[in-house]
Amino acid sequence: AQSVSQHNHHVILSEAASLELGCNYSYGGTVNLFWYVQYPGQHLQLLLKYFSGDPLVKGIKGFEAEFIKSKFSFNLRKPSVQWSDTAEYFCAVRATGTYKYIFGTGTRLKVLA
Amino acid sequence: EPEVTQTPSHQVTQMGQEVILRCVPISNHLYFYWYRQILGQKVEFLVSFYNNEISEKSEIFDDQFSVERPDGSNFTLKIRSTKLEDSAMYFCASSAEQGATKNIQYFGAGTRLSVL
């Protein structure tokens, strides 16, 4: 069965620290990959996506992610976090030919001012 | 920016009662979805809906659940006889059929369902 793993459940960083959140998936076929962010009380908001092409994708708010097919990974990065990045981050995968997203467990990021 | 809206934000119900969760998808979207997240667990897919019929559903989506697009704007999830284990956050999402945002699902803020 398809699954998505996010290894960091809670991350605490100081402002200006660099961020990397891991995401691994298990599926042998072609996938679309997503990172969503959820600020408290708000809807899931798309940060970035990978469908095809350049495996390094840039999203909103200075986030980027790299798709490494051989490692089945799609890690999220930001060189310098801000207090306003405090939120929960979800990795999601959609296998081609299906509609559903498979989500990871989410990572709660707290950035200390 | 257009948003998916869900009402109510919090629904409390007694076990065995029927509940209807409501969603207004983004207006030009034709694919609709429901997901749920039990506290402390992953966001799980329930069902997708296109052209007035279910296009895909998970094993969670049993006979207790149904979806409907009763008019041109709303998309509803009905749980016929709620159980304690139905307590969760329910997310609605929608996506476009074509264009640059095809295959990108846009989510609402969720309805927290508490079954007592």
Short mmCIF file of all heavy atoms in Angstrom, two decimals, chain B residues 12-16 84 87 114-116:
data_model
loop_
_atom_site.label_atom_id
_atom_site.label_comp_id
_atom_site.label_asym_id
_atom_site.label_seq_id
_atom_site.Cartn_x
_atom_site.Cartn_y
_atom_site.Cartn_z
N VAL B 12 -21.11 19.48 17.18
CA VAL B 12 -21.20 18.51 18.29
C VAL B 12 -22.50 17.74 18.12
O VAL B 12 -23.55 18.33 17.87
CB VAL B 12 -21.19 19.22 19.66
CG1 VAL B 12 -21.25 18.18 20.79
CG2 VAL B 12 -19.94 20.09 19.81
N THR B 13 -22.42 16.42 18.23
CA THR B 13 -23.61 15.61 18.04
C THR B 13 -23.60 14.42 18.99
O THR B 13 -22.55 14.06 19.55
CB THR B 13 -23.71 15.12 16.59
OG1 THR B 13 -24.98 14.51 16.37
CG2 THR B 13 -22.63 14.09 16.26
N GLN B 14 -24.76 13.84 19.19
CA GLN B 14 -24.87 12.65 20.02
C GLN B 14 -24.68 11.42 19.14
O GLN B 14 -25.09 11.39 17.96
CB GLN B 14 -26.26 12.59 20.67
CG GLN B 14 -26.54 13.72 21.64
CD GLN B 14 -25.71 13.59 22.90
OE1 GLN B 14 -25.46 12.49 23.39
NE2 GLN B 14 -25.29 14.72 23.46
N MET B 15 -24.09 10.40 19.71
CA MET B 15 -23.91 9.12 19.01
C MET B 15 -25.25 8.64 18.46
O MET B 15 -26.27 8.71 19.13
CB MET B 15 -23.35 8.11 20.01
CG MET B 15 -22.85 6.83 19.41
SD MET B 15 -21.92 5.85 20.60
CE MET B 15 -23.08 5.67 21.92
N GLY B 16 -25.22 8.18 17.22
CA GLY B 16 -26.42 7.68 16.58
C GLY B 16 -27.17 8.72 15.76
O GLY B 16 -28.07 8.37 14.99
N LEU B 84 -18.73 7.12 17.98
CA LEU B 84 -17.70 7.87 18.70
C LEU B 84 -16.45 8.03 17.85
O LEU B 84 -15.81 9.10 17.85
CB LEU B 84 -17.34 7.17 20.02
CG LEU B 84 -18.43 7.12 21.07
CD1 LEU B 84 -17.98 6.29 22.27
CD2 LEU B 84 -18.86 8.51 21.53
N SER B 87 -15.49 10.98 15.41
CA SER B 87 -14.96 12.27 15.87
C SER B 87 -13.63 12.54 15.18
O SER B 87 -12.70 11.73 15.26
CB SER B 87 -14.76 12.24 17.39
OG SER B 87 -15.99 12.13 18.05
N SER B 114 -17.44 16.46 16.80
CA SER B 114 -17.30 15.81 18.09
C SER B 114 -18.56 14.98 18.35
O SER B 114 -19.67 15.52 18.40
CB SER B 114 -17.13 16.85 19.21
OG SER B 114 -15.98 17.63 19.00
N VAL B 115 -18.38 13.67 18.48
CA VAL B 115 -19.49 12.77 18.74
C VAL B 115 -19.44 12.36 20.21
O VAL B 115 -18.44 11.82 20.68
CB VAL B 115 -19.44 11.52 17.84
CG1 VAL B 115 -20.63 10.61 18.10
CG2 VAL B 115 -19.38 11.93 16.37
N LEU B 116 -20.54 12.65 20.93
CA LEU B 116 -20.56 12.39 22.37
C LEU B 116 -21.35 11.12 22.69
O LEU B 116 -22.26 10.74 21.96
CB LEU B 116 -21.19 13.58 23.10
CG LEU B 116 -20.54 14.95 22.81
CD1 LEU B 116 -21.29 16.04 23.56
CD2 LEU B 116 -19.08 14.94 23.18
#
